[in-house]
Amino acid sequence: MLNTGLCESAEYGRGSVHTTFTLPGEEVARILQAAFERPAPGQLDIAGTFDVAAPEGATIVAMMSAIESGLSGDAPLASAPQAARLLRDALVMLVLARFPHRYASWFERTAAPAPWQIRRAVAFIDAHRDGPLTVQEVADAVGIGLRSLQEGFRKHKQISPHDYIKQVRLAAVRAELLEPGSTRSIEAIARHWGFVNRGHFALDYRNAFGEQPSQTRRRR
């Protein structure tokens, strides 16, 4: 790997086989900024080598090969630019996560995940709000540990993932209670959104909205 801003040429040994990928610096900056929600204005300053037989090297080579074959002629990626872009971005993030460069400290493993991972967790919760859902299932869907998910929610959402799930479902209950055409009982609505204990539900609802569910229904 080399930064063409620092190195203008390279030599390959006789008999070597190579594929060259180039990517504008502004694209790398875009990928970094999207992942960490912070600007990356400086030069990347990345340069290094990797063993193609090692797990990380083999993965990088496999992804490069998939991009190369997928974009050739009428191959699938040639007609699916969004998929091609995601694969390219994944390759860039893998390289940036494994090799030294100016922004390497951004990739240091910490208890708190990156903002994009929390956004993915929020989207997953919103898409599964009306069915059985545990915090562990959310963590598994995002691909991070349970503790990291909890720390990430506290840092980026100022709430625990468990309470966020409850908040989303309480909002869904309230929306249905306010629907003019809603005919289900309050208990049936609460049960549908995962609240099986009437006393706990009433308390959570009052704490969230400052009124009882029955008061909300009367106001529709």
Side-chain angles (χ1 to χ4, degrees):
M1 296 179 298
L2 53 86
N3 185 340
T4 55
L6 304 175
C7 181
E8 296 180 353
S9 64
E11 294 184 3
Y12 296 90
R14 182 184 297 275
S16 66
V17 177
H18 68 275
T19 298
T20 302
F21 285 89
T22 60
L23 193 64
E26 56 268 22
E27 277 297 288
V28 176
R30 180 195 62 77
I31 294 169
L32 275 170
Q33 182 168 339
F36 293 96
E37 295 189 332
R38 52 199 291 197
Q43 197 171 60
L44 191 62
D45 295 343
I46 186 170
T49 61
F50 57 86
D51 181 359
V52 297
E56 288 181 353
T59 300
I60 292 172
V61 171
M63 293 179 71
M64 292 174 67
S65 298
I67 294 172
E68 182 181 23
S69 61
L71 291 174
S72 301
D74 296 327
L77 289 180
S79 58
Q82 294 86 357
R85 180 175 178 176
L86 288 172
L87 183 56
R88 182 204 61 186
D89 289 3
L91 174 60
V92 171
M93 287 296 288
L94 176 61
V95 169
L96 294 180
R98 293 295 183 265
F99 297 94
H101 52 85
R102 173 171 293 183
Y103 303 102
S105 62
W106 294 10
F107 292 82
E108 292 177 357
R109 293 182 179 274
T110 61
W116 67 267
Q117 292 174 302
I118 300 304
R119 290 198 302 271
R120 182 179 294 178
V122 167
F124 183 82
I125 291 171
D126 290 344
H128 297 81
R129 60 179 185 167
D130 60 346
L133 183 64
T134 66
V135 176
Q136 184 63 62
E137 288 172 334
V138 178
D140 292 342
V142 179
I144 58 178
L146 180 61
R147 183 177 176 183
S148 291
L149 180 72
Q150 293 168 334
E151 180 63 26
F153 262 81
R154 280 193 292 269
K155 178 178 180 180
H156 299 294
K157 304 292 290 184
Q158 292 76 53
I159 192 174
S160 71
H162 177 269
D163 286 344
Y164 181 80
I165 293 173
K166 182 190 295 184
Q167 186 181 82
V168 167
R169 291 182 168 177
L170 284 171
V173 170
R174 183 174 180 81
E176 185 169 346
L177 289 175
L178 290 171
E179 286 181 8
S182 175
T183 59
R184 290 198 293 184
S185 67
I186 294 175
E187 184 176 355
I189 294 173
R191 190 166 53 248
H192 172 81
W193 292 104
F195 299 98
V196 295
N197 186 298
R198 295 176 61 181
H200 289 168
F201 163 68
L203 178 61
D204 288 338
Y205 191 94
R206 186 173 66 250
N207 288 338
F209 304 113
E211 63 183 17
Q212 294 290 352
S214 56
Q215 294 174 291
T216 302
R217 167 151 276 180
R218 285 195 296 269
R219 293 194 299 103
R220 64 181 179 176

